[in-house]
Amino acid sequence: MGGARAGRRPDGHGARPRRPAHGARGRRPGRRRARARRHPWHPHHIAERYGLVVIIAVGEGLTGTTFALAAILEESGWTVETALLGLAGVALTFGLWWAYDVMPSGALLAARRRRSFAWGYGHIVLFGSIVATGGGLHAAAFSLEGASALGRVGTLLTVAVPVTVYVATFTALFGALSRERGRVHVGLAAASAAVVVGAVALVVAGAPLVWGLLVLALVPWVTVVGHGLAGRRAEGRAAAVEEVGEV
């Protein structure tokens, strides 16, 4: 009797129930069900929506600059400085959008979904820097009109600082999502910083504000051209490897 009692379970069954196996790592069914209840999201769709917000932010900044230039044109008409400011504003804002489009966000999010949190919330800084760049261009238009208390260097910094924040944030987001910190990315970031410093130094040396803005407008194009050249080199190396394999 004692042996029989020792072999029986309190549930009344003679056989000791076995613990069900849940895979090699011992995952519980509750955890699997919790994962199944998570809301699905499409990485390419999310990347597209973030890109549309970038376009909206760029458009807002360009619209404000256009209205400010229109007010100047009504009073004094077209001048060389007004035309150069318009050229710098269009080149800079369009370059910011094109530089952002270089990052293959959809493909990277699809491959690395766990890194989407930092990538998504990091865009708050990116969007803010784009809007602030538009505000700086608006301040530059006021400076040409003579309605600003800022000097030439101070006005240029209202554009240079947010552009620098944009480049730094873009580089950080791309690096966090792709985990690539090669010579190309470091070189492009350093080249962009050098262009910003050169633009500020040019105005500090006595150059007109619009010339500093024109140099500053080259900053996003460093990323565009650099990534384009790097992509072509990578395609060339891949084609060379394929030719060697065929031989």
Side-chain angles (χ1 to χ4, degrees):
M1 293 296 292
R5 290 179 180 177
R8 296 180 63 87
R9 299 284 294 174
D11 54 8
H13 298 282
R16 183 182 298 270
R18 295 183 179 180
R19 184 178 181 181
H22 302 300
R25 295 185 179 181
R27 295 178 179 176
R28 298 179 180 178
R31 185 176 300 178
R32 290 200 298 268
R33 287 194 297 268
R35 290 184 178 180
R37 286 195 299 266
R38 291 180 180 177
H39 296 287
W41 54 279
H42 197 287
H44 292 277
H45 178 78
I46 297 297
E48 180 185 3
R49 296 305 172 188
Y50 275 77
L52 292 177
V53 177
V54 170
I55 295 176
I56 293 173
V58 168
E60 289 292 334
L62 190 58
T63 301
T65 306
T66 303
F67 285 143
L69 288 176
I72 298 175
L73 294 177
E74 290 181 359
E75 295 182 0
S76 57
W78 282 101
T79 61
V80 176
E81 289 187 341
T82 305
L84 292 179
L85 176 59
L87 176 61
V90 172
L92 179 58
T93 53
F94 187 67
L96 293 178
W97 168 76
W98 200 332
Y100 178 84
D101 196 57
V102 167
M103 179 169 53
S105 301
L108 292 175
L109 283 175
R112 301 172 176 88
R113 289 175 175 261
R114 293 184 178 180
R115 302 174 189 172
S116 60
F117 184 87
W119 180 86
Y121 281 95
H123 274 73
I124 296 177
V125 181
L126 189 79
F127 296 149
S129 64
I130 296 175
V131 175
T133 300
L137 292 173
H138 204 161
F142 283 141
S143 179
L144 292 184
E145 190 180 2
S148 175
L150 294 175
R152 290 179 293 105
V153 178
T155 303
L156 183 67
L157 290 177
T158 61
V159 183
V161 171
V163 168
T164 303
V165 173
Y166 174 89
V167 173
T169 307
F170 172 82
T171 304
L173 292 178
F174 189 86
L177 200 57
S178 63
R179 294 296 174 89
E180 292 183 4
R181 296 177 176 84
R183 292 180 297 177
V184 175
H185 302 284
V186 175
L188 292 178
S192 300
V195 174
V196 173
V197 173
V200 175
L202 186 65
V203 176
V204 170
L209 172 64
V210 291
W211 290 108
L213 291 174
L214 283 174
V215 175
L216 202 60
L218 299 176
V219 173
W221 297 101
V222 172
T223 300
V224 174
V225 175
H227 277 277
L229 293 177
R232 289 184 180 180
R233 292 177 181 176
E235 291 178 357
R237 289 193 296 267
V241 172
E242 291 181 357
E243 292 180 358
V244 172
E246 292 179 356
V247 173

